[in-house]
Amino acid sequence: MRQPARRVPCRKRHQRRTCLLLATVAVTTRAPALVPRGAQLPAACRRQLRGGARAVPQGKGLYELDAGASLATPGADRAADWRAVGDHRDDAAFDQDRLLEYIFARPWDIAQRAVSTLSVAFGIWWAWRNRDNELAEQGTKPVLNTSLRRKGPATASGDALRQGLQKMGVFFVKIGQTAAQRPDIVGDEVAEELKGLQEQSTPFSDAVALRVIAEELNYKGPLAPGVIHEGCEDPQGEPLLKELNPKYVASASLGQVYRGRMHNGREVALKVQRPGVREVLGLDWAVATMASRAYQALIGSPNDYGQVVDTVARGVRMELDYHNEAANAEEFASRHAFLPFVSSPGSVPELMGPVGTSRVLALDWYPSRAPKELSTAERRLMVEMAVEACVVQLLVTGFVHADPHEGNLRLGDDGRVVFLDFGLMDRVDFGIMENCAAGVRQVLKKDWLELSKTFQEVRFTPTPMLRNMAYGKSRKPKYEPCSLEEFAEAV
């Protein structure tokens, strides 16, 4: 088990983080780090700052460009070569160019899934059609909210939207969670309601979860003293674990977590995959792709909704690969070990199933508290550490936690911010890092024209820029090209 580092006094922790961020600026901007006059930094930090780029960790093969001056970050080859194993036997699945081939191979399954999905979608539309009247009766207005949590008043149409997506299945829940952060695509009202999907998830049966653990580990005896799963062949046999809480401690869209203790005293968290997710994923991808193409053609939008569907599909498939998540957890710990205020649980491979198909993920149980359990001062400290850690991920290591909502962040008992859930990670190449650093400078200088160019460099915005001429007049967008100067003025 990865042992937590000795807790550093608050002032020294702050000094080290200040030193780290100053060094980060020096590295990413290729400029000397500026230390405030009179600042008292630890000697190690002063040595790092004097060394300029040496503030970046120099592990084996880290931060070296290849012979072709590629800007790919270390470890990118593992992500590029990743291929889902065992989740579907048909190579045509998840390939937009072979969509029809996939559909014609299983027309009855597709038809059944499409009918059930569209019937739920119709129910959502029926509840949403009187949205304006509903808000008027409540005397409320649409809420512009930049938080990851939903803050608007409860509405029947919003409840129908979230419950409908949950009935459709995990894939559509994930699409909804993704769309919640894209009001530019789905609109402010829909995005606000979709944020509620982060806060609620229907748990599945504990008995089913315990049976999955036994099946994945091919264990015939009890899982722990007094914890006997359905179909246990040897109830009197030696228990797998010393202790196991048969009731889940956390539930999410793809699985739920159980707490246990091994015979050697090591505490573990067992994440059990939600049953049936893999079996319908390909069908849901096909239905969602057809629906997105029809919707795009109907409203004449330049947005490629099929890319959103593909992105969600790849993300879900990667999250279902628990051995990939375990490898991500180990890589995250290795790449960010130089941050004294960041930690994460290590993996426990002996309690996981076969590579590529395992439905159980085993990690160390990290003693910590959720944000809602913290005082205001502790929450502020945790947020500061998490923000600084995310900045380092984006500008230094290039290995980014792609889902850092409050359910995946905790304050460890050792005083460090603990990152959880590494199923969805992203990699940022050095070119993007440079442009992000440039964007920070441009915001500080209020150079909006250069910032607009940077947006295009990192593909935040299209080239050429587009302006919705029907904004505020019609729900059907009408896009026309606009100049960078017009966009910069709007920014």
Side-chain angles (χ1 to χ4, degrees), residues 291-443:
S292 66
R293 288 184 179 182
Y295 181 71
Q296 184 174 350
L298 178 65
I299 68 172
S301 172
N303 292 315
D304 189 349
Y305 297 107
Q307 286 191 359
V308 176
V309 172
D310 279 355
T311 299
V312 173
R314 178 176 173 83
V316 172
R317 295 166 76 205
M318 294 189 77
E319 288 189 83
L320 293 178
D321 187 343
Y322 279 170
H323 280 273
N324 181 67
E325 180 171 347
N328 285 341
E330 295 296 335
E331 183 177 352
F332 181 89
S334 174
R335 293 202 178 282
H336 301 94
F338 68 101
L339 295 175
F341 55 93
V342 174
S343 192
S344 59
S347 64
V348 189
E350 58 266 36
L351 291 179
M352 296 176 61
V355 174
T357 61
S358 177
R359 294 176 291 167
V360 176
L361 170 66
L363 298 173
D364 289 316
W365 181 271
Y366 203 109
S368 57
R369 288 174 293 158
K372 63 182 179 182
E373 301 173 307
L374 306 176
S375 66
T376 301
E378 289 174 321
R379 283 200 301 269
R380 184 178 295 113
L381 174 62
M382 191 197 77
V383 169
E384 288 177 358
M385 293 189 293
V387 169
E388 291 174 12
C390 289
V391 169
V392 171
Q393 294 169 37
L394 180 62
L395 299 182
V396 179
T397 66
F399 192 50
V400 180
H401 194 296
D403 198 18
H405 60 77
E406 64 181 41
N408 291 335
L409 293 170
R410 299 175 69 91
L411 183 64
D413 291 352
D414 55 5
R416 298 192 286 180
V417 60
V418 182
F419 282 78
L420 303 174
D421 194 351
F422 300 94
L424 200 57
M425 304 293 292
D426 206 352
R427 298 178 188 273
V428 182
D429 65 38
F430 283 97
I432 300 295
M433 291 186 204
E434 292 281 356
N435 280 307
C436 286
V440 172
R441 295 198 305 270
Q442 290 152 5
V443 169

Side-chain angles (χ1 to χ4, degrees), residues 51-290:
R54 287 193 297 275
V56 179
Q58 299 295 314
K60 181 180 179 181
L62 293 183
Y63 312 102
E64 294 180 359
L65 301 184
D66 61 21
S70 167
L71 295 180
T73 51
D77 53 344
R78 182 170 70 85
D81 294 340
W82 177 85
R83 181 179 176 83
V85 177
D87 64 343
H88 215 286
R89 297 181 179 180
D90 193 335
D91 290 337
F94 312 107
D95 185 344
Q96 290 266 357
D97 295 333
R98 301 176 64 184
L99 175 63
L100 292 179
E101 177 184 341
Y102 179 78
I103 293 174
F104 290 148
R106 53 189 58 74
W108 180 242
D109 292 336
I110 293 289
Q112 284 185 312
R113 191 63 179 166
V115 169
S116 64
T117 300
L118 293 177
S119 64
V120 176
F122 178 79
I124 295 174
W125 172 83
W126 187 259
W128 199 268
R129 76 193 193 287
N130 291 322
R131 169 77 173 184
D132 293 339
N133 293 336
E134 181 184 13
L135 294 179
E137 291 176 1
Q138 290 184 341
T140 59
K141 296 181 179 180
V143 177
L144 179 59
N145 171 24
T146 58
S147 168
L148 291 178
R149 294 179 65 90
R150 184 179 174 275
K151 293 187 176 180
T155 62
S157 55
D159 289 340
L161 174 62
R162 292 187 295 273
Q163 292 175 11
L165 289 175
Q166 289 187 344
K167 289 180 181 178
M168 289 183 187
V170 170
F171 183 71
F172 293 96
V173 169
K174 286 294 183 180
I175 289 180
Q177 291 175 341
T178 301
Q181 308 308 317
R182 295 300 306 271
D184 56 313
I185 294 179
V186 299
D188 293 331
E189 292 183 53
V190 176
E192 175 66 17
E193 295 290 359
L194 289 174
K195 289 179 181 179
L197 290 172
Q198 295 282 13
E199 305 165 22
Q200 61 185 50
S201 182
T202 304
F204 59 93
S205 167
D206 290 317
V208 171
L210 297 178
R211 187 177 70 246
V212 168
I213 294 174
E215 290 175 354
E216 287 299 297
L217 302 180
N218 194 27
Y219 202 76
K220 310 301 182 183
L223 297 180
V227 182
I228 300 176
H229 61 278
E230 294 179 358
C232 180
E233 298 181 10
D234 186 10
Q236 304 302 319
E238 181 181 357
L240 173 67
L241 300 171
K242 183 178 180 179
E243 299 174 9
L244 178 65
N245 185 347
K247 179 69 176 176
Y248 70 91
V249 296
S251 180
S253 57
L254 291 179
Q256 50 199 39
V257 179
Y258 294 81
R259 183 178 183 177
R261 185 187 299 274
M262 301 174 68
H263 292 288
N264 60 8
R266 184 178 185 179
E267 281 197 284
V268 293
L270 301 178
K271 183 162 76 170
V272 182
Q273 198 169 104
R274 187 175 292 272
V277 175
R278 292 175 182 266
E279 289 75 9
V280 299
L281 185 56
L283 301 178
D284 286 345
W285 164 81
V287 171
T289 299
M290 292 188 292

